[in-house]
């Protein structure tokens, strides 16, 4: 009997300590929801400077972008000015005369966060100084400046997946050691299937495709450059890899670029219609992608605001459950996605891929949803019916998005 209580004591003691240990090691989940912000690249390419970025930050507050959830200002390639005599990476003094720390203080003061960019080789994609062999030093510098997010590119690095895993892990470890919570965005363009390993290498998000172009879709198989629909199709099978702190990044929103010359304007990027931009927003939200706007926030039309700032669509993207929508139907005309939401709700998206308006109807039972649901149309902002099915017309390239609540 005595022996038995001794063992019970030992086991209880061990369990207690194990629990305490597990709790002490518990870390905050970085990017528990898909990060939202604005990124310099598609609008400015590498012609960036602190004045424009501060103006954009101001506009993010005054236009309601920040209030809607876009809280990162993300500096992409082109900020670097080499290294000083101690090998510390420095900003280009002409573009950023006050330095990145001052810019971070400025955006923090507005309630925004600041992101920066580097690359896992010696030079970035646009040919600027990058971080290979300087990972710890650069991570410390970023932390000292007050950086909250790092996009880490892969130009100039070897093709093989093992090197990619290692180089990303080296930077992720360096960020963890830097003493600051810095979200880590992996950008190797999907070629090495990062959804299989990027979370383990320390990333909270990973690009799944090449750079998005400002177009609806490739016009011919041989046309280079992915459009909105191409990226949706590439991400449709990746739902199982997404979750809080681990997101499939479908690249930047091209909403409002309207065929602007620049990185997203080449390879057929001649611009999209408002309906197509609305579909990009709808499906980036359904597929739980990070949302990085790239339009000129200082000059937003009412139409662009309507799309980027729709709170009901954003709430689908930011839902606490953190699930990526699953593709339920896919044929020449229709692509249908279902996204489980918290509180036993669902978001249903119906995309008409064809070039004409078409009628359709769906029984929710086809998607495994039995029972009656109330449907809220998240673009019309009104109840679209209650029952077990939906019937209606969807315009060419339009995506209807409904929130389904059990009745
Ligand atoms: C790569 C990335 C882009 C952008 C540029 C910058 O092409 O995929 O998103 O960061 O580099 O040079």
């Amino acid at each position: 009997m005595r022996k038995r209580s001794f063992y019970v004591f030992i086991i209880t003691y061990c369990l207690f300590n194990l629990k305490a240990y597990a709790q002490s090691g518990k870390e905050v989940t970085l990017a528990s929801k898909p990060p939202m912000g604005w990124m310099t690249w598609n609008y400015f390419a590498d012609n960036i400077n602190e004045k424009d970025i501060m103006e954009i930050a101001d506009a993010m507050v005054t236009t309601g972008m920040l209030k809607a959830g876009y809280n990162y200002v993300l500096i992409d390639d082109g900020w670097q000015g080499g290294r000083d005599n101690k090998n510390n990476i420095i900003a280009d003094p002409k573009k950023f005369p006050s330095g990145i720390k001052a810019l971070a203080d400025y955006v923090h003061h507005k309630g925004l966060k600041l992101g920066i960019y580097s690359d896992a080789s010696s030079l970035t994609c646009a040919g600027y100084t990058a971080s290979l062999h300087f990972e710890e030093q650069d991570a410390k510098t970023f932390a000292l400046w007050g950086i909250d997010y790092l996009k880490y590119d892969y130009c100039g690095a070897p093709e093989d997946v093992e090197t990619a895993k290692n180089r990303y892990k080296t930077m992720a470890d360096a960020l963890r050691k830097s003493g600051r919570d810095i979200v880590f965005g992996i950008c190797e363009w999907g070629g090495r299937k990062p959804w299989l390993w990027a979370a383990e290498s320390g990333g909270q998000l990973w690009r799944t495709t090449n750079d998005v172009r400002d177009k609806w879709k490739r016009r011919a198989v041989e046309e280079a450059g992915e459009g909105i629909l191409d990226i949706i199709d590439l991400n449709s099978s990746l739902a199982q890899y997404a979750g809080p702190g681990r997101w499939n990044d479908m690249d930047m929103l091209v909403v409002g670029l309207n065929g602007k010359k620049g990185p997203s304007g080449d390879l057929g990027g001649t611009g999209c219609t408002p309906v197509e931009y609305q579909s990009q927003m709808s499906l980036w939200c359904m597929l739980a992608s990070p949302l990085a706007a790239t339009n000129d926030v200082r000059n937003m039309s009412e139409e662009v605001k309507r799309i980027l700032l729709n709170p009901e669509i954003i709430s689908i993207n930011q839902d606490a459950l953190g699930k990526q929508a699953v593709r339920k139907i896919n044929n020449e005309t229709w692509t249908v996605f279902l996204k489980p939401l918290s509180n036993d709700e669902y978001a249903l998206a119906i995309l008409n891929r064809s070039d004409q308006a078409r009628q359709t109807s769906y029984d929710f039972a086809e998607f495994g949803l039995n029972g009656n649901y109330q449907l809220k149309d998240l673009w019309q902002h009104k109840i679209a019916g209650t029952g077990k099915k939906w019937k209606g017309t969807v315009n060419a390239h339009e995506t209807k998005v409904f929130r389904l609540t059990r009745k």
Side-chain angles (χ1 to χ4, degrees), residues 170-337:
T170 305
M171 185 43 112
D173 291 348
L175 292 174
R176 282 165 66 104
K177 273 172 79 174
S178 75
R180 193 172 168 88
D181 284 339
I182 299 179
V183 169
F184 191 39
I186 287 179
C187 180
E188 61 73 72
W189 325 293
R192 282 150 286 262
K193 300 191 166 76
W195 45 90
L196 298 177
W197 53 264
E200 230 169 280
S201 287
Q204 283 79 46
L205 57 150
W206 44 84
R207 282 269 304 275
T208 52
T209 67
N210 288 321
D211 298 5
V212 63
R213 258 61 199 197
D214 187 6
K215 63 182 181 188
W216 177 240
K217 64 170 182 184
R218 268 194 192 94
R219 281 111 177 154
V221 246
E222 63 282 2
E223 183 179 89
E226 269 115 359
I228 292 169
L229 195 57
D230 306 308
I231 292 186
I232 292 163
D233 290 343
L234 283 161
N235 278 270
S236 296
S237 57
L238 303 179
Q240 71 187 98
Y241 304 105
R246 36 187 311 151
W247 309 107
N248 292 308
D249 177 0
M250 296 163 72
D251 200 13
M252 295 165 247
L253 294 168
V254 288
V255 178
L257 285 170
N258 301 320
K260 183 185 167 20
K261 284 206 168 53
S264 60
D266 67 356
L267 305 179
T270 51
C272 301
T273 65
V275 167
E276 292 166 346
Y277 285 139
Q278 182 175 307
S279 275
Q280 185 189 29
M281 184 69 186
S282 301
L283 291 156
W284 261 234
C285 287
M286 288 294 291
L287 274 68
S289 172
L291 301 176
T294 47
N295 60 316
D296 186 355
V297 181
R298 299 164 300 184
N299 296 300
M300 284 206 277
S301 66
E302 287 310 308
E303 179 63 12
V304 170
K305 281 191 197 162
R306 186 186 69 81
I307 296 173
L308 288 180
L309 299 177
N310 179 342
E312 296 194 279
I313 285 290
I314 292 172
S315 74
I316 300 299
N317 178 262
Q318 297 287 298
D319 183 78
L321 203 56
K323 296 253 189 215
Q324 177 173 326
V326 172
R327 191 172 65 186
K328 293 289 184 181
I329 287 180
N330 194 40
N331 55 44
E332 251 180 41
T333 309
W334 300 107
T335 301
V336 176
F337 287 101

Side-chain angles (χ1 to χ4, degrees), residues 103-114:
L103 186 56
D105 290 347
Y106 185 85
V107 308
H108 287 156
H109 191 67
K110 296 196 159 268
L112 292 155
K113 296 176 174 199
L114 191 66

